[in-house]
Amino acid sequence: MIFTLLRFVLPTCFCFSFLAQKPFTGELLYAGVKVTPKDSNAVEKILIYAKDSLGKVIHFSTVLGKQECINNLPRNKSILLVETTKGKFAIKTGNQSDTDTSLTYRYKKTMGSKKIAGIRAKKIQVFFNNLDKPFPFYYTKKIDAKYGPSFHRLPGLVLSYYQPTDQGIYFYELKELNKKEVPLSLFSVPSEYKRVTLEEFFELISQP
């Protein structure tokens, strides 16, 4: 269960590409549902807090529960917060560019646009290496792609997208974007979490 969880959650940690857009401070809320195979009970929510070069991703899943990832973009570091029966752990996951789904896709700009959460979004076609058909995505160039939950190599923040996983394909769409001040305390590791590396975490949970 933990191995499946990590494979599912790690892509939602930030990648670390720096584009020309201005820094963003505020929160983003995405909602998702499993579309292949269709399952209306597999509901997802991704809440992102951003403060210039800091980010926090909170992933709510009816399948895998709640997970959190804290990101420091300039230092190229991420920490995954995980609660298990053996305790609470803050896992140093290091460079997330290696787990970004952008390594398995390519995109092609196309005609079309629509409003998502009150934002004018441009259409783009995304092709995954292991899937036959392209998927329609929407993005905005006004905010850097690095602040999104995934697909950090697009020309801007992804607002509507599909995410292939081991459990199937999920569709996500931005529901709210609020530009506001975010407290710095949100990006610190709570004292009750034990700091470990990914290797140390797997060793700990494998012990009887």
Side-chain angles (χ1 to χ4, degrees):
M1 178 66 175
I2 290 293
F3 292 90
T4 300
L5 180 152
L6 290 174
R7 287 199 303 269
F8 189 84
V9 173
L10 281 176
T12 68
C13 292
F14 288 113
C15 181
F16 304 93
S17 58
F18 289 88
L19 303 179
Q21 292 95 332
K22 294 180 180 180
F24 172 75
T25 295
E27 62 180 25
L28 306 164
L29 176 63
Y30 292 80
V33 66
K34 191 175 183 180
V35 293
T36 305
K38 188 173 182 180
D39 184 355
S40 59
N41 293 318
V43 178
E44 306 284 322
K45 286 187 178 180
I46 299 175
L47 178 60
I48 298 174
Y49 293 101
K51 191 176 182 68
D52 298 332
S53 61
L54 297 174
K56 185 173 185 178
V57 181
I58 305 175
H59 194 143
F60 303 89
S61 169
T62 55
V63 177
L64 299 173
K66 175 185 173 182
Q67 297 300 316
E68 300 181 41
C69 188
I70 299 172
N71 307 273
N72 186 311
L73 279 67
R75 294 185 179 180
N76 205 12
K77 299 293 182 181
S78 293
I79 296 178
L80 183 66
L81 303 180
V82 178
E83 295 186 26
T84 74
T85 55
K86 295 189 176 183
K88 299 179 179 181
F89 300 94
I91 307 169
K92 302 173 186 177
T93 56
N95 188 337
Q96 289 309 304
S97 60
D98 293 335
T99 60
D100 180 22
T101 51
S102 62
L103 298 177
T104 63
Y105 74 81
R106 61 185 176 88
Y107 65 85
K108 180 180 179 182
K109 292 183 180 180
T110 186
M111 298 293 292
S113 66
K114 68 177 181 179
K115 276 197 171 184
I116 298 176
I119 303 168
R120 177 60 62 182
K122 293 184 177 182
K123 187 177 182 180
I124 199 168
Q125 294 286 347
V126 172
F127 301 79
F128 292 98
N129 292 353
N130 57 340
L131 297 175
D132 295 332
K133 65 175 184 177
F135 291 84
F137 281 40
Y138 287 86
Y139 73 97
T140 176
K141 291 183 70 174
K142 293 183 178 181
I143 300 176
D144 200 317
K146 69 187 178 187
Y147 293 111
S150 196
F151 302 99
H152 307 113
R153 296 184 184 177
L154 292 184
L157 178 73
V158 65
L159 302 186
S160 172
Y161 67 97
Y162 292 84
Q163 179 80 69
T165 74
D166 292 343
Q167 294 77 39
I169 299 175
Y170 285 77
F171 170 73
Y172 293 89
E173 188 169 83
L174 181 72
K175 297 302 179 183
E176 295 180 20
L177 185 154
N178 297 309
K179 294 182 179 180
K180 65 178 187 179
E181 283 302 313
V182 178
L184 192 60
S185 58
L186 276 177
F187 308 99
S188 60
V189 177
S191 58
E192 65 267 25
Y193 282 77
K194 181 179 180 180
R195 292 175 181 265
V196 295
T197 65
L198 190 58
E199 292 76 16
E200 289 171 338
F201 173 72
F202 284 138
E203 183 178 349
L204 284 166
I205 63 171
S206 64
Q207 295 174 359

